Amino acid sequence: MTVMNVKSLAIHLNQAEYEKREVTSIQAEHPEMTVGDAYKIQEELVGLKLQEGHRIIGPKMGLTSRAKMKQMNVEEPIYGYVFDYMVVPDKTLYLNELIHPKVEAEIAFILGKDIEGPNVTIEQVIEATEYVAPALEIIDSRYKDFKFTLPDVIADNASSSKVFMGSTFKRPQELELDLVGVTLSINGEIKELGASAAVLGHPAESLVLLARMLSRKGLKLKAGQVILTGGITGAVMLSDGDVVQAKWDGLGSIEFTVKK
Ligand code: OOG
Ligand code: MG
């Protein structure tokens, strides 16, 4: 894939996000696109957003649980970036700002120290983590019908769209971090449930893997970043009027309403 292709595809995906417009699979038009090309497109897209004045909250991991891999038909964890403008300040999600949003329950890590290198351990991740907190991620793939290949979804910033942060912050040592039960309900009915071990056996493992992936590019996880570790269960499609509530054992709950 040429440098020109990489630049124009990043602009294409960025515009699709801002115009809330579905696009066709890039892979379908560029069968040659590799995972490496896709991360180059993502990097370019992140650069565009930074130029526009947006700030990175942190990188995020995606497709870290079997439930997510199965649902999306993609077999490999990926990363993307969450920006300041994606954080929802109140308790309402507006559909007119989105294409076809889904919600997923996650555990966020807030770092007190940098994490760097290909061989960090879970213990080092926990030691570098100031707090863990619950988060509901809203993913909104820019691709038609939410269908994509692995390179497609990487190029599209791992479907990043919005985030609701919870208000319960715990020190990582205060919880059995792999045994956090979670339920995700819509209009009072449980749609998905699971335990945090669904994320690579332990959600801190998600940061181990992220640090490894970033280290290949000479990058690291930085103190102050808020890092989403990936959906514990499958994601749930949202419609007008939905009242969404998720509960995490030991980490409180998050609730929001979906409006047109
Ligand atoms: C890709 C993003 C996945 C997660 O937590 O697994 C993700 C997608 O499913 O569209 O954010
Ligand atoms: Mg996610």
Side-chain angles (χ1 to χ4, degrees):
M1 185 166 260
T2 67
V3 175
M4 272 302 288
N5 280 156
V6 166
K7 289 205 162 143
S8 66
L9 289 168
I11 293 169
H12 172 65
L13 285 167
N14 202 36
Q15 278 176 349
E17 179 190 338
Y18 295 146
E19 293 167 13
K20 304 138 216 155
R21 192 164 42 75
E22 284 185 336
V23 297
T24 53
S25 158
I26 291 174
Q27 190 92 75
E29 274 154 45
H30 295 272
E32 79 282 10
M33 176 169 63
T34 62
V35 164
D37 293 330
Y39 275 113
K40 279 188 202 149
I41 297 171
Q42 187 195 100
E43 211 173 291
E44 195 70 32
L45 179 108
V46 166
L48 289 173
K49 293 185 186 301
L50 291 173
Q51 273 171 35
E52 290 159 7
H54 299 304
R55 213 170 46 80
I56 290 173
I57 298 285
K60 70 156 210 187
M61 285 295 277
L63 308 175
T64 49
S65 64
R66 281 305 323 154
K68 283 286 308 180
M69 290 187 207
K70 226 173 120 197
Q71 185 177 40
M72 302 323 295
N73 219 1
V74 171
E75 290 293 313
E76 221 175 287
I78 59 174
Y79 68 86
Y81 287 88
V82 175
F83 283 83
D84 52 358
Y85 73 90
M86 296 176 176
V87 179
V88 186
D90 49 25
K91 290 179 179 306
T92 311
L93 183 75
Y94 289 99
L95 291 176
N96 65 11
E97 296 177 3
L98 302 158
I99 304 167
H100 41 207
K102 294 183 189 176
V103 62
E104 53 192 22
E106 310 207 7
I107 295 177
F109 282 57
I110 298 133
L111 299 187
K113 292 182 194 160
D114 293 0
I115 300 176
E116 185 170 16
N119 296 312
V120 299
T121 62
I122 286 192
E123 290 70 30
Q124 285 171 317
V125 167
I126 288 173
E127 203 264 322
T129 300
E130 190 143 35
Y131 297 108
V132 291
L136 284 179
E137 184 178 19
I138 307 299
I139 48 171
D140 194 28
S141 172
R142 267 54 68 171
Y143 297 109
K144 192 169 181 311
D145 303 328
F146 230 109
K147 291 219 174 79
F148 43 69
T149 64
L150 174 63
D152 273 336
V153 62
I154 291 167
D156 185 30
N157 193 23
S159 310
S160 300
S161 175
K162 292 195 181 283
V163 181
F164 290 86
M165 287 302 299
S167 54
T168 306
F169 290 73
K170 288 262 173 86
R171 305 277 300 162
Q173 298 82 358
E174 285 181 79
L175 295 167
E176 289 282 3
L177 261 184
D178 56 342
L179 291 179
V180 178
V182 58
T183 57
L184 176 58
S185 306
I186 312 270
N187 303 324
E189 189 188 325
I190 294 179
K191 297 284 185 190
E192 295 282 345
L193 60 96
S196 51
V199 172
L200 300 170
H202 191 299
E205 191 63 38
S206 188
L207 275 72
V208 168
L209 185 54
L210 180 55
R212 185 176 311 142
M213 291 166 98
L214 291 178
S215 78
R216 289 190 201 123
K217 308 217 150 104
L219 301 173
K220 62 179 177 181
L221 300 172
K222 296 178 191 153
Q225 287 181 329
V226 179
I227 298 164
L228 303 182
T229 50
I232 295 166
T233 68
V236 180
M237 204 86 194
L238 295 171
S239 325
D240 184 28
D242 283 349
V243 176
V244 179
Q245 190 195 38
K247 294 189 209 170
W248 290 254
D249 193 15
L251 284 173
S253 64
I254 303 178
E255 196 174 311
F256 70 88
T257 304
V258 182
K259 292 194 180 152
K260 274 206 197 95

